[in-house]
Amino acid sequence: MPKSKRSKVVSLTKVPKKTREHKNALLGEIQQSAEKWKYCWLFEVGAMRNTHLKTVRNLWRDSARIFYGKAAVMAKALGNTPEEEHQPGLHKLAEACHLSLVIPSNSYIIHQKIKGQVGLLFTDTGPQEVRNIASRTVTLPVGPVMRLYSDPPETFPHNEEPQLRKLGLSTMLIRGIPTLQTSHKICDKGKALTSEQAQLLKLIGEKMVVFRVGLKARWDSETGVVTQVESGVVPAEEEDEE
């Protein structure tokens, strides 16, 4: 039959399938980066936003190389076994590509399969500088501790006062309201955030970043040691804060 000459709808969102040559080139680039950079961080994103990942790439453009793709491809590039690993110790990082760490309150570690994609960040920057960094100084004033995300801001309920104290606030209950007798600096601009500081910022509604990734593990090229990062997983609902 002759071909139809009717107008056809062509989807502009259709992405051509990646070829084997493209995948082999990616494997080679990852392996070259393992030879060039001192550290390799494995990270996971809660709900992927490509525009935000581009922002992260731009921030690290001069001091790191970032790859993001299927966990199986990342693991293959690193080497799944001691015999296949491209550099000493990388097979342990490849194992982490397939596992997500969940650490319950009873301190047992449960491994779960990762579904989807993971990222690799190669850099010479020291571990302390790669963690969450405060984008500004935050100080709580004297008086009731307020939830800033409410409109208008509202005070914390009395039953949450113990949690605020546990996170470092020297509060006391005045008429049933958690109150500060002196001002309290939560964080300093440019310094790494502790887990307590990050939790406190989240509770009061102070937004520090637009996009966050969860660091899962770090490989050191000098020692071949892979270090697990307990706070690796970023839930999808916590990934966008602004």
Side-chain angles (χ1 to χ4, degrees):
M1 294 180 63
K3 293 183 179 180
S4 173
K5 294 183 179 180
R6 293 188 209 170
S7 299
K8 294 182 179 180
V9 177
V10 179
S11 175
L12 298 179
T13 60
K14 187 176 180 180
V15 179
K17 190 174 182 179
K18 294 180 180 179
T19 63
R20 179 177 295 274
E21 288 74 18
H22 179 275
K23 292 181 180 178
N24 289 338
L26 176 61
L27 297 180
E29 290 180 9
I30 292 174
Q31 291 171 351
Q32 289 175 10
S33 294
E35 298 171 359
K36 176 181 178 181
W37 303 95
K38 181 178 180 180
Y39 298 106
C40 178
W41 290 83
L42 173 69
F43 66 88
E44 188 180 7
V45 177
M48 180 58 187
R49 298 292 185 274
N50 193 48
T51 54
H52 297 332
L53 186 59
K54 286 182 179 179
T55 300
V56 175
R57 289 183 189 274
N58 289 333
L59 289 172
W60 287 88
R61 180 174 52 193
D62 299 325
S63 58
R65 180 72 191 275
I66 296 176
F67 298 91
Y68 192 79
K70 292 182 179 179
V73 176
M74 300 290 135
K76 183 175 179 59
L78 300 174
N80 286 300
T81 65
E83 294 75 23
E84 296 176 352
E85 63 183 9
H86 189 68
Q87 294 278 62
L90 276 181
H91 78 279
K92 297 177 182 178
L93 195 64
E95 291 175 359
C97 285
H98 300 294
L99 298 171
S100 178
L101 290 182
V102 179
I103 303 182
S105 57
N106 59 8
S107 298
Y108 288 105
I109 298 179
I110 301 174
H111 297 283
Q112 295 181 339
K113 283 284 185 180
I114 289 178
K115 295 181 180 180
Q117 300 179 315
V118 295
L120 297 175
L121 184 149
F122 291 91
T123 182
D124 289 332
T125 303
Q128 293 302 321
E129 298 181 47
V130 178
R131 300 300 186 93
N132 287 337
I133 303 297
S135 59
R136 63 182 178 278
T137 299
V138 177
T139 302
L140 297 181
V142 175
V145 182
M146 308 297 291
R147 286 173 165 168
L148 303 179
Y149 56 80
S150 302
D151 189 17
E154 60 184 23
T155 59
F156 279 81
H158 67 89
N159 59 348
E160 292 190 19
E161 197 265 346
Q163 183 180 9
L164 296 176
R165 293 183 64 86
K166 185 177 180 180
L167 292 174
L169 295 185
S170 55
T171 55
M172 61 182 302
L173 288 176
I174 297 181
R175 297 180 181 179
I177 298 175
T179 305
L180 285 172
Q181 296 295 312
T182 59
S183 60
H184 179 91
K185 181 185 291 186
I186 298 179
C187 60
D188 291 303
K189 181 179 178 180
K191 292 188 177 181
L193 293 172
T194 64
S195 58
E196 290 80 10
Q197 290 172 324
Q199 180 64 16
L200 190 54
L201 290 169
K202 180 181 176 181
L203 285 177
I204 66 175
E206 278 285 355
K207 299 175 182 178
M208 277 283 150
V209 293
V210 176
F211 182 72
R212 295 171 62 192
V213 297
L215 299 174
K216 290 170 48 56
R218 181 187 72 252
W219 170 76
D220 189 326
S221 64
E222 293 184 350
T223 62
V225 173
V226 172
T227 304
Q228 297 286 352
V229 180
E230 295 181 357
S231 58
V233 180
V234 177
E237 64 271 15
E238 293 182 15
E239 166 279 332
D240 266 327
E241 293 193 356
E242 276 188 354

